[in-house]
Amino acid sequence: MAALDFFVTMRSPYSYLAADRVVALAERAGVELHLRPVYPIALRDPGFFEKADPAKLAYLRRDAERVAAMEGIAFGWPDPDPVVQDLDSGKVADDQPHIRHLSHLVAAACLTGQGVAVYLTLAGLLFAGGPGWAEPGRLDAALASCGLDPAQFRNQAAVLAPDCEALLQTNADALRAAGHWGTPSLGYRGEVFFGQDRIDMCAWFMGLRSVRPSPGG
């Protein structure tokens, strides 16, 4: 069966905003959805935002809010930000207490066959769960809602840490080889489609009119 690669990060608002439509696309096309988490570009290229126009981050924040409003998706900015970064200068801090752990949880879920469910749940916690996602017990409650034993799964993720790092790097290499660097990106039969606004183009390439349900069903 053909697979639809879905490259995401745990910081990307657009990955979260695309996720339900990508799941629907894979179901409608009858293909396997292959979740491929990578580290955010802020970690893969720490100088990326420092080199960018200062307006970039402000624009991206406003644009993500518009996409959420247009699509009717519950949305809010994660507090705290999964990546510790000075949003004025774009400088990324050396100490990152959240993003590696979050990325490892999703990578471990991918390695154990539960990647899509865990990603959807954790992304929803970050971007639609209100402030304080990192407060004690909230991540564990989210993992439990996926049918996981939180303590057992965290231990499993710790044991799998080298494999998680390898998977995140393999996915980043695959994204580059496919022809892009950003998330969300979709890969299908040698083509890459970057951005939540290219889901319908991917659907067209797959021979479908649109990922959205037709009126009345």
Side-chain angles (χ1 to χ4, degrees):
M1 177 187 291
L4 176 64
D5 287 337
F6 182 28
F7 295 92
V8 302
T9 81
M10 291 308 297
R11 199 223 193 162
S12 164
Y14 294 112
S15 294
Y16 160 72
L17 293 169
D20 285 343
R21 284 176 286 154
V22 171
V23 170
L25 173 58
E27 290 176 351
R28 182 173 295 185
V31 300
E32 180 183 356
L33 182 59
H34 187 190
L35 188 79
R36 306 198 68 170
V38 301
Y39 279 128
I41 193 69
L43 269 68
R44 286 180 284 134
D45 181 3
F48 180 84
F49 289 105
E50 292 182 74
K51 295 177 289 189
D53 189 293
K56 185 179 181 70
L57 277 172
Y59 174 81
L60 291 178
R61 289 179 69 85
R62 183 70 189 107
D63 185 63
E65 292 166 1
R66 287 196 304 251
V67 170
M70 183 179 74
E71 296 290 346
I73 300 172
F75 181 79
W77 291 101
D79 182 12
D81 191 325
V83 173
V84 181
Q85 180 181 17
D86 184 324
L87 297 183
D88 291 325
S89 67
K91 183 173 177 57
V92 176
D94 292 332
D95 185 27
Q96 295 291 336
H98 303 302
I99 191 61
R100 295 189 188 281
H101 180 56
L102 288 167
S103 299
H104 274 216
L105 290 177
V106 175
C110 290
L111 291 169
T112 56
Q114 302 163 93
V116 173
V118 170
Y119 170 73
L120 291 175
T121 299
L122 295 188
L125 173 64
L126 266 64
F127 289 98
W133 66 265
E135 291 174 358
R138 294 201 64 189
L139 270 175
D140 282 352
L143 293 172
S145 74
C146 296
L148 298 169
D149 179 304
Q152 184 179 31
F153 183 70
R154 284 180 183 273
N155 289 337
Q156 188 175 30
V159 171
L160 290 172
D163 297 314
C164 291
E165 280 293 315
L167 179 65
L168 291 162
Q169 184 60 56
T170 295
N171 289 343
D173 292 343
L175 177 57
R176 276 287 184 183
H180 215 279
W181 60 90
T183 59
S185 284
L186 296 174
Y188 185 75
R189 296 193 183 278
E191 295 287 336
V192 64
F193 304 86
F194 166 65
Q196 65 81 30
D197 55 347
R198 289 296 182 264
I199 298 172
D200 276 349
M201 182 176 285
C202 184
W204 163 81
F205 182 74
M206 299 169 82
L208 303 173
R209 285 183 174 228
S210 172
V211 68
R212 291 176 174 80
S214 58

